[in-house]
Amino acid sequence: MSRILIVLSAASTWTRADGSKYDSGVWAEEFVVMHDMFVRAGCDVDIATPGGVTPTIDPHSLNPDVVGQEQADHFRNYLESVASLLSKPLTLDSAEASSYDVIAIPGGHGPVEDLYKDRDMGRILVEAQRAKKIIAPVCHGQAALLAAKDAQGRWLFAGRKMTAFSDEEEVELGTADNAPWLLAETLRKSGARYEKGKNWAPYVVKDGNLLSGQNPASTAPLVDAVLAELV
């Protein structure tokens, strides 16, 4: 049985460039689809957050005006069904990459608030990369990759192909203005070989053990790609 570690942000807000707070957290679709697909595939799935904090689901991702009433209802129902799991996640500092086959990281703006600078997130990714474990972030989950530095402070994923939530999508979402930094731009400046598909359409990039999805719609195909690697 394959073992999956889903790392979720513990942030409930995103600090904007002017210091204001934007309600944020984990994007519901990305966690729900990812968790559901891995469980249905027979995987053993753990959830971890910094400090073992119960994750906040981004309220925007449950807004029917944003995701549609049917999807909003489905996400809420699923989240209620796993509420006991979400209420007691593992602490990120206790997680060891050696215990898992996959390190998966959903987005929402939460990761650009905490995971991108979390030492334990960086440690787990360094361990996973050295052991060639599958690393699978989606959307803003790729911010977590920025935490992975070697002993000399060099970014572990420089030169690697990846996708992530695009700057163009951030603009269309209305969150680019007043953002302290933009994810895709930062990944490129850090040395990533960034690629993107059409805005809001599924797009997955594979580079060895690193599999990444561009946006919420990319979650299901990303999990499909991960499961194909585990066969």
Side-chain angles (χ1 to χ4, degrees):
M1 179 185 294
S2 296
R3 299 201 66 206
I4 315 293
L5 179 66
I6 296 180
V7 180
L8 299 178
S9 167
S12 60
T13 59
W14 178 24
T15 305
R16 309 290 277 152
D18 63 2
S20 62
K21 302 292 186 179
Y22 177 86
D23 288 341
S24 185
V26 177
W27 198 258
E29 178 178 0
E30 294 163 26
F31 168 71
V32 168
V33 171
M34 182 179 284
H35 187 269
D36 187 35
M37 289 182 68
F38 279 135
V39 170
R40 287 178 182 273
C43 300
D44 183 6
V45 183
D46 285 339
I47 298 167
T49 67
V53 173
T54 299
T56 297
I57 302 300
D58 189 322
H60 304 92
S61 68
L62 295 172
N63 184 344
D65 293 337
V66 176
V67 300
Q69 188 65 58
E70 183 176 354
Q71 287 284 75
D73 290 343
H74 169 63
F75 298 153
R76 287 184 187 278
N77 289 337
Y78 191 88
L79 290 166
E80 289 177 6
S81 75
V82 296
S84 61
L85 296 176
L86 290 172
S87 69
K88 296 179 180 179
L90 300 175
T91 59
L92 197 56
D93 64 2
S94 70
E96 300 290 341
S98 59
S99 299
Y100 299 96
D101 301 293
V102 179
I103 309 298
I105 314 167
H109 285 103
V112 301
E113 180 74 10
D114 61 357
L115 294 184
Y116 82 97
K117 60 182 179 180
D118 188 280
R119 290 184 179 180
D120 289 300
M121 182 79 265
R123 171 186 58 80
I124 290 167
L125 289 170
V126 169
E127 293 171 355
Q129 178 57 34
R130 285 175 178 166
K132 299 302 180 184
K133 306 282 187 175
I134 296 172
I135 298 170
V138 64
C139 200
H140 288 87
Q142 283 81 321
L145 301 181
L146 295 168
K149 306 283 181 67
D150 66 15
Q152 288 72 45
R154 295 173 298 201
W155 188 40
L156 203 65
F157 296 98
R160 301 291 295 278
K161 292 191 298 181
M162 67 182 71
T163 189
F165 197 67
S166 69
D167 298 340
E168 293 83 356
E169 286 167 315
E170 201 80 68
V171 169
E172 289 190 10
L173 188 61
T175 46
D177 289 342
N178 201 26
W181 48 277
L182 295 176
L183 178 56
E185 177 185 52
T186 301
L187 292 172
R188 289 193 297 268
K189 288 182 176 179
S190 299
R193 294 165 59 193
Y194 176 81
E195 301 178 4
K196 70 177 289 292
K198 295 180 180 179
N199 288 2
W200 311 109
Y203 189 72
V204 172
V205 172
K206 179 182 183 299
D207 184 348
N209 64 313
L210 176 62
L211 284 70
S212 53
Q214 180 175 319
N215 47 34
S218 304
T219 309
L222 174 64
V223 175
D224 281 337
V226 170
L227 292 173
E229 292 290 311
L230 292 173
V231 173

